[in-house]
Amino acid sequence: MPQTIKAAIVGTGFIGPAHLEALRRIPYVLVTGLVEVNQEVADAKAAELGIPNAYTFENMLKDDSIDVVHICTPNFLHFPQAKACMLADKHVVCEKPLSVTVEEAEELVSLAKEKGLINAVHFNLRYYPMVRQMKVMREKGELGEVYSVMGSYLQDWLFFKTDYSWRLDPKQSGGSRAVADIGSHLLDMTEYVTGLKIIAVMADFSTVYPTRLKPLKAVESFSGKKLDPSDYQEYDVTSEDYATILLRFDNGRTGSITVSQINAGRKNRLNIEVSGSKSSFEFNAEKPNELWIGKRETANSILMKDPALVDEGARSLVSFPGGHQEGFPDTSKQLFKEVYAAVREGKQPESPTFPTFADGLRELIIGDAIVESNANEAWVKI
């Protein structure tokens, strides 16, 4: 592998530029290509973002200088684009969900193994240093036996009936929305931190707006743009705005999570609390540099993110001294550092520290069980 690794980004909605910004903070990675829906859009976006080469997807595949492709497109494109990239012998970092069906994800996992390519899914929220700290402390026995997990992921960007995103279109996003979009992060984090496997789920969905008003003009996610009443048309909503899910774990204990995209004032509030026989841990992504540690017999404490204070196993995710805040943009950088270290080595690690296509498949399996549970109003085993 050359000293400089060249990457291309496919898609420039909300998350594509976030990938770009994170990659530019890794010294030996150079983003040389950008892919959009057509050449005209690609040219405009490449000029705006300062990327030297603009491509259609097919032309990008023909460029042998590109080593890694980041897929940041709507969900229904993840499978065909990831497959095409691997068939072109390019390593792949894919946004979640890995695909819209379990069968597609299984094919991608199999192909990645067959081709020996580095593969990763962008479950970046497990890369907050204090989330890694929770995992390390649990592995050291400081949590004790896991008694329960309570989690929530709350947003408000679909609070109004006129809020719209491609994620509301099942042809582009798949059969689930809030659970697939943000719930997948929380479910991934739950298994990552606790070391437990979810073995059964019971879900209840709510669609607050059975119909919404779709803008006739393009509006980017999280842009906050306002349109006139004449700029909308009514359409039916089939996916969930809100979901509550009961969980059963392979240690015999239980938990619950709530996900919502209609909670006013909650911009991006992921919260997870793990209760154990020795302590409780709580992490809130809107206060990402703090870890609450609860005790029964002594005073509770808050551990602040500081490379001098966190465990060695979490220190690699801390780039700045204590008191220097690190947040959402840093999670992608830390994930990509581990992925690109594997690219430099030229092979997928036997036990990757980063989330792989196998992790993407795992979340699709859990997600399908959650959708089935809601439909049947029953527990579903995984």
Side-chain angles (χ1 to χ4, degrees):
M1 177 62 60
Q3 186 173 2
T4 298
I5 301 171
K6 294 182 179 180
I9 293 176
V10 185
T12 57
F14 161 70
I15 203 64
H19 280 236
L20 172 64
E21 190 273 340
L23 289 171
R24 282 176 165 164
R25 295 164 67 194
I26 303 174
Y28 58 87
V29 176
L30 187 62
V31 179
T32 60
L34 181 143
V35 175
E36 257 298 346
V37 64
N38 58 50
Q39 191 63 49
E40 182 182 4
V41 175
D43 288 339
K45 287 291 186 177
E48 176 187 331
L49 296 170
I51 298 175
N53 301 302
Y55 305 91
T56 61
F57 185 77
E58 292 72 19
N59 287 335
M60 179 274 296
L61 293 176
K62 297 174 185 176
D63 188 342
D64 294 333
S65 72
I66 293 173
D67 306 301
V68 186
V69 179
H70 288 244
I71 297 173
C72 304
T73 50
N75 301 353
F76 76 103
L77 292 172
H78 292 179
F79 168 71
Q81 290 180 340
K83 181 177 179 179
C85 289
M86 289 191 293
L87 290 174
D89 294 317
K90 299 183 187 301
H91 308 294
V92 177
V93 177
C94 187
E95 266 303 320
K96 49 78 198 163
L98 179 58
S99 63
V100 294
T101 70
V102 168
E103 292 74 21
E104 289 176 346
E106 288 174 338
E107 184 175 344
L108 292 178
V109 170
S110 177
L111 181 59
K113 184 176 181 180
E114 175 189 330
K115 300 284 285 184
L117 293 164
I118 283 77
N119 56 92
V121 176
H122 193 232
F123 285 123
N124 59 306
L125 300 190
R126 62 158 85 169
Y127 276 79
Y128 284 111
M130 306 317 285
V131 172
R132 178 76 63 89
Q133 176 70 14
M134 281 195 292
K135 178 179 185 292
V136 172
M137 290 175 68
R138 188 265 305 166
E139 291 172 339
K140 291 173 60 180
E142 295 180 36
L143 177 69
E145 178 193 351
V146 176
Y147 283 169
S148 67
V149 179
M150 294 181 293
S152 62
Y153 201 154
L154 310 178
Q155 299 177 331
D156 71 355
W157 66 285
L158 291 172
F159 179 74
F160 295 116
K161 190 172 184 176
T162 51
D163 289 326
Y164 182 76
S165 164
W166 59 264
R167 295 185 184 280
L168 289 152
D169 180 357
K171 293 180 181 179
Q172 296 190 69
S173 64
S176 170
R177 190 215 325 148
V179 172
D181 182 18
I182 56 177
S184 58
H185 274 296
L186 183 53
L187 291 162
D188 172 74
M189 187 180 292
T190 295
E191 291 194 332
Y192 177 72
V193 168
T194 65
L196 302 176
K197 292 295 183 184
I198 298 167
I199 61 170
V201 294
M202 166 68 91
D204 187 27
F205 290 0
S206 173
T207 302
V208 174
Y209 295 112
T211 61
R212 283 180 177 263
L213 297 178
K214 179 180 179 179
L216 300 174
K217 300 177 182 178
V219 179
E220 292 183 358
S221 298
F222 306 106
S223 67
K225 293 179 180 177
K226 301 293 184 182
L227 303 178
D228 296 324
S230 61
D231 293 323
Y232 295 95
Q233 66 179 9
E234 192 170 75
Y235 69 101
D236 294 330
V237 176
T238 60
S239 57
E240 72 280 5
D241 291 312
Y242 177 99
T244 301
I245 306 156
L246 300 179
L247 309 171
R248 287 179 182 162
F249 297 103
D250 58 359
N251 72 339
R253 303 301 182 183
T254 59
S256 65
I257 67 169
T258 298
V259 295
S260 172
Q261 294 174 323
I262 43 83
N263 274 48
R266 297 302 190 187
K267 304 306 178 184
N268 194 48
R269 186 183 185 275
L270 181 154
N271 196 89
I272 182 169
E273 181 168 338
V274 184
S275 170
S277 58
K278 295 182 179 179
S279 305
S280 293
F281 300 155
E282 182 190 30
F283 172 78
N284 182 344
E286 290 188 344
K287 299 178 180 179
N289 293 270
E290 300 178 7
L291 173 62
W292 181 85
I293 301 170
K295 295 288 186 178
R296 167 64 189 269
E297 72 284 3
T298 59
N300 301 332
S301 62
I302 295 177
L303 174 63
M304 303 298 292
K305 184 228 63 169
D306 186 326
L309 298 178
V310 301
D311 282 285
E312 183 178 356
R315 202 165 294 144
S316 65
L317 302 190
V318 182
S319 294
F320 298 98
H324 296 73
Q325 306 304 301
E326 296 176 73
F328 178 83
D330 301 281
T331 62
S332 295
K333 181 191 75 171
Q334 301 295 354
L335 190 162
F336 297 158
K337 278 169 52 179
E338 294 184 353
V339 172
Y340 278 79
V343 174
R344 286 186 115 174
E345 291 293 321
K347 62 180 181 179
Q348 186 86 344
E350 290 186 10
S351 300
T353 53
F354 54 84
T356 67
F357 282 7
D359 295 290
L361 170 60
R362 171 69 180 165
E363 292 312 315
L364 281 164
I365 291 170
I366 297 173
D368 274 9
I370 290 170
V371 171
E372 179 184 346
S373 171
N374 174 72
N376 296 336
E377 298 185 345
W379 281 94
V380 173
K381 294 182 178 180
I382 298 172

